[in-house]
Amino acid sequence: MNTIENILQLIRFYWRTEKKLYLRLFLMFFAIFLVKIALLDFIFMHVNISVYNFSHTAFHTYIYAGSIFITLSYLFNAVHHKQQAINYLSLPASNIEKFLSRFILGVVGVPILINAGLVAAASVVTLFLGTMDCLAGHQPAWLRIFDYQCVPLYVVPFREALMGLHPISQFFFSFFWTNMFILAHCSFFIWFGIAFRKAGWIYAFITYFIVIALSVFVLEVIGDSKQSAPLIAGTAVRYGAVLATILFTCLAYRSFCRAQVITHKFITL
């Protein structure tokens, strides 16, 4: 119980001491999504409706995921700087408590900041488009405009489950495995952010694409020899995500403990 209390106290401490950082992150995400919605969507809207729908989903996914991964790779950036690392050591908590508090703040707090920036940007664009409709004498579809620009992917199946189109258990099953898959990616980028002093996210992306390419190649080989390849791939992805999350989190914690020693010999690329 003391461990949980210490973790909560550390999270509150980070929040109090890093408010300006969180504000800058929010404004950055707000600006990114505002440019994406107001500029890119407007351009593709006048090209082709299919291109517009594809670009909307693709840009949204890449910006959202990329923002999370790059931000998380800087989550433990303080351990690479002597004075900030000393401040880490001086905190009245164990290494596991320091690590978990920062980890939880990152995998929960960063997506909240990004979603807040997305909601703010979508609200501004919705207000603008709705006002233009009013000035043109049309009835603005406020909910449809906002929903299309901002609704998270997991809201749609949840809404369908509430309407009785799908079992609610199916939604929670899908929600669990989707978040486990995302958590595996998050822990991967956190580990590289601790392990590399400079631009760890670059090395993480390079390694990530190499691993994905090898995985696709292996699955293609399996698919040529077995008819049950899709089932094998689905099972491998699900349980592989759990194992990867545990592995990457343990490696990140190990790297964090090593980095707590001020005179550590670390990779300084």
Side-chain angles (χ1 to χ4, degrees):
M1 197 65 180
N2 290 332
T3 299
I4 297 177
E5 292 177 357
N6 289 339
I7 290 174
L8 293 176
Q9 289 179 359
L10 285 172
I11 292 176
R12 286 194 291 267
F13 171 77
Y14 295 140
W15 171 253
R16 290 196 306 269
T17 57
E18 299 175 353
K19 285 183 178 180
K20 292 183 179 179
L21 172 62
Y22 302 137
L23 178 60
R24 288 197 299 269
L25 286 174
F26 167 75
L27 293 176
M28 180 183 70
F29 297 136
F30 169 74
I32 290 173
F33 282 111
L34 187 62
V35 170
K36 179 261 175 187
I37 295 174
L39 182 61
L40 294 178
D41 280 8
F42 179 79
I43 293 174
F44 285 109
M45 186 187 301
H46 292 80
V47 177
N48 183 280
I49 188 62
S50 60
V51 175
Y52 172 58
N53 290 331
F54 173 78
S55 64
H56 171 78
T57 304
F59 278 114
H60 179 87
T61 302
Y62 290 143
I63 292 173
Y64 188 83
S67 300
I68 290 178
F69 296 152
I70 294 175
T71 305
L72 290 181
S73 68
Y74 288 99
L75 190 63
F76 291 90
N77 195 42
V79 299
H80 297 301
H81 303 279
K82 185 174 182 179
Q83 185 57 53
Q84 291 177 322
I86 293 174
N87 294 337
Y88 255 127
L89 285 172
S90 64
L91 293 175
S94 63
N95 276 341
I96 186 65
E97 292 170 347
K98 298 174 189 175
F99 176 79
L100 287 178
S101 61
R102 201 69 175 171
F103 187 90
I104 294 172
L105 185 64
V107 298
V108 176
V110 171
I112 289 176
L113 276 176
I114 294 177
N115 278 303
L118 174 59
V119 170
S123 300
V124 171
V125 174
T126 301
L127 182 62
F128 173 77
L129 293 178
T131 302
M132 292 298 101
D133 286 341
C134 290
L135 294 177
H138 304 298
Q139 182 65 30
W142 300 102
L143 182 60
R144 181 185 61 80
I145 300 173
F146 182 81
D147 188 54
Y148 182 73
Q149 297 291 348
C150 180
V151 62
L153 296 178
Y154 58 81
V155 170
V156 175
F158 179 67
R159 182 188 301 163
E160 292 177 349
L162 290 180
M163 294 172 62
L165 301 178
H166 299 292
I168 192 70
S169 58
Q170 180 180 338
F171 164 75
F172 285 110
F173 180 80
S174 175
F175 182 77
F176 171 80
W177 287 113
T178 300
N179 281 276
M180 183 58 64
F181 185 70
I182 295 174
L183 189 58
H185 289 74
C186 292
S187 58
F188 179 77
F189 279 85
I190 289 174
W191 172 37
F192 270 76
I194 303 175
F196 292 89
R197 180 171 182 175
K198 297 179 181 178
W201 63 274
I202 295 179
Y203 307 108
F205 272 116
I206 294 173
T207 307
Y208 174 76
F209 285 116
I210 292 175
V211 171
I212 292 297
L214 292 175
S215 301
V216 171
F217 175 75
V218 171
L219 291 176
E220 286 293 332
V221 172
I222 295 175
D224 292 336
S225 59
K226 295 185 178 181
Q227 297 295 327
S228 58
L231 179 61
I232 295 175
T235 304
V237 168
R238 286 175 182 172
Y239 293 101
V242 176
L243 295 176
T245 301
I246 296 173
L247 175 62
F248 297 146
T249 303
C250 291
L251 289 172
Y253 173 65
R254 177 62 178 168
S255 300
F256 175 76
C257 291
R258 288 184 60 189
Q260 286 291 290
V261 181
I262 303 303
T263 58
H264 68 90
K265 294 181 180 179
F266 226 53
I267 301 172
T268 55
L269 295 179

